Amino acid sequence: MSLSGLDPSNPTPGDFREIIFAQGETGGQASSRSVVLYGNKTSAGSETVDTVGDAIQSAQDCIDRTGARSELNQMYRWYTKVDPTADIYFVACTEAAGGTAATREYTFAVNASDSTTVDIYWGGSQTSFSVSSGDTPTVQAAAAKAAINSADEGSWPFTADNSSGVLTATAANVGDRGTFALSRLRFVYRKNVTTTCTAGAVAAGAGTDDHTAAYAAVAGAGTFYYQVSPKHAVTTVTTTDNGIGELITNNLAQALPVSGKSQCAVFGLVGTNAEATAVAISSAANTPRAFFYWAENSPLTPGMLAAHHAAVMRLAQIRHPSANLTGYANG
């Protein structure tokens, strides 16, 4: 019998063992370590909220079911950049009742003294628009609006409008997480010109979506090993916080012998080191079933960061269950 790493012509006798993981009969969905994403869709998506449907079949299928600008589509895109062959499911969580969308204004001032190009950065991608000498603030804001609304095939999670040189970006989903999307939008002029573009503060969206119904839907649909959440925190979390702590508590309950489900919760944190530490050491979060990936001032939203790292985890762990990800960093 041939064993990996042993020369079959070696005459030295001995007892040797080779352990091959993931062999023999499987338990179906559980053995593939399926992924489920929690997040919001937009009205352009066809999926029924708070339900677990079929696995996502393609990028276009995700767009059709969640909407191109949705939080869920951003998470799916960043997951599949790393691990495109996984069985990925999602739950479109009901948006905050009576919630409002976050907004941010960018004010253009003074006619351009020269021709140049303005690059716009968001979420690891880029678009641009041209500026001609003499262009007014209104002309420039209109060009910025067109560039943003068509960027990445119209998939950035906000839309833009302009009025007399003031560009207003509005998050595609209502609620408090819209701040993360808009705070990552950047304008850079390639050449010094007299024009200025001043970013205003983000006007935070109101409302927090409740994922309780989504957790129940996932619990009733089977076992999903990697449960990826866009929820974020900067202080101690609790078991009833309608956020990080609640999902972890739900996973721990599902792991009890009565259900026996093997699964974990994955989150992205973008605050300071001290804030991330406060979250992770909370009694409601300090468990082997919770994974936090921290990247202060990341260009990604917490949901995108969590999805990206969940993909790294799964890709490594299906090759070897004891894969060590300590020290992994984006690059």
Side-chain angles (χ1 to χ4, degrees), residues 9 11 32 54 65 67 70 83 108 114 140 185 209 223 235-236 238 255-256 259 264-265 290 323:
S9 63
S32 69
D54 295 333
R65 296 164 65 187
S70 70
D83 182 22
F108 292 82
D114 202 349
Q140 293 179 62
L185 183 59
D209 50 350
T223 300
T235 58
T236 299
T238 68
L256 294 173
S259 299
C264 62

Side-chain angles (χ1 to χ4, degrees), residues 14-328:
D15 294 326
F16 305 97
R17 293 179 180 175
E18 179 178 8
I19 299 175
I20 305 176
F21 294 100
Q23 303 299 300
E25 294 184 5
T26 70
Q29 183 190 69
S31 66
S32 69
R33 292 199 165 186
S34 299
V35 180
V36 65
L37 309 176
Y38 296 96
N40 296 143
K41 74 180 189 71
T42 66
S43 58
S46 62
E47 195 78 0
T48 301
V49 297
D50 296 329
T51 61
V52 182
D54 295 333
I56 300 172
Q57 300 301 308
S58 64
Q60 187 59 52
D61 181 49
C62 186
I63 289 172
D64 292 342
R65 296 164 65 187
T66 70
R69 298 190 188 277
S70 70
E71 177 179 57
L72 278 166
N73 190 42
Q74 312 310 317
M75 294 172 68
Y76 174 77
R77 293 177 68 174
W78 273 87
Y79 186 98
T80 54
K81 285 176 183 289
V82 177
D83 182 22
T85 62
D87 291 330
I88 308 171
Y89 297 78
F90 71 89
V91 183
C93 306
T94 300
E95 290 186 292
T100 59
T103 60
R104 190 179 193 184
E105 291 185 348
Y106 295 80
T107 302
F108 292 82
V110 187
N111 294 357
S113 60
D114 202 349
S115 298
T116 186
T117 299
V118 179
D119 295 316
I120 308 176
Y121 298 90
W122 182 84
S125 60
Q126 173 188 347
T127 188
S128 61
F129 65 91
S130 298
V131 174
S132 297
S133 178
D135 277 356
T136 65
T138 299
V139 169
Q140 293 179 62
K145 168 187 172 180
I148 288 173
N149 289 341
S150 62
D152 221 350
E153 299 180 337
S155 66
W156 283 4
F158 44 83
T159 56
D161 206 349
N162 69 292
S163 176
S164 302
V166 178
L167 179 84
T168 302
T170 303
N173 288 116
V174 304
D176 49 10
R177 290 195 300 278
T179 297
F180 294 115
L182 296 183
S183 62
R184 282 146 178 78
L185 183 59
R186 299 286 186 271
F187 291 75
V188 178
Y189 283 77
R190 294 185 187 178
K191 182 193 299 183
N192 287 332
V193 293
T194 53
T195 293
T196 60
C197 178
T198 304
V202 176
T208 299
D209 50 350
D210 188 341
H211 289 191
T212 303
Y215 299 156
V218 169
T223 300
F224 301 87
Y225 190 87
Y226 300 98
Q227 300 198 9
V228 187
S229 172
K231 291 283 190 175
H232 187 264
V234 294
T235 58
T236 299
V237 300
T238 68
T239 59
T240 57
D241 61 6
N242 191 21
I244 288 174
E246 185 175 335
L247 176 56
I248 295 171
T249 301
N250 179 273
N251 272 7
L252 291 173
Q254 290 294 307
L256 294 173
V258 66
S259 299
K261 295 182 178 181
S262 179
Q263 54 195 26
C264 62
V266 185
F267 307 92
L269 301 177
V270 297
T272 65
N273 179 271
E275 290 169 342
T277 300
V279 174
I281 66 175
S282 303
S283 60
N286 190 8
T287 166
R289 295 186 180 275
F291 293 85
F292 297 94
Y293 291 94
W294 167 64
E296 186 174 359
N297 296 324
S298 170
L300 307 184
T301 65
M304 293 159 68
L305 189 67
H308 170 81
H309 287 84
V312 173
M313 284 177 62
R314 182 183 179 278
L315 200 60
Q317 290 173 350
I318 60 174
R319 293 170 178 168
H320 195 294
S322 298
N324 187 348
L325 302 177
T326 300
Y328 175 83

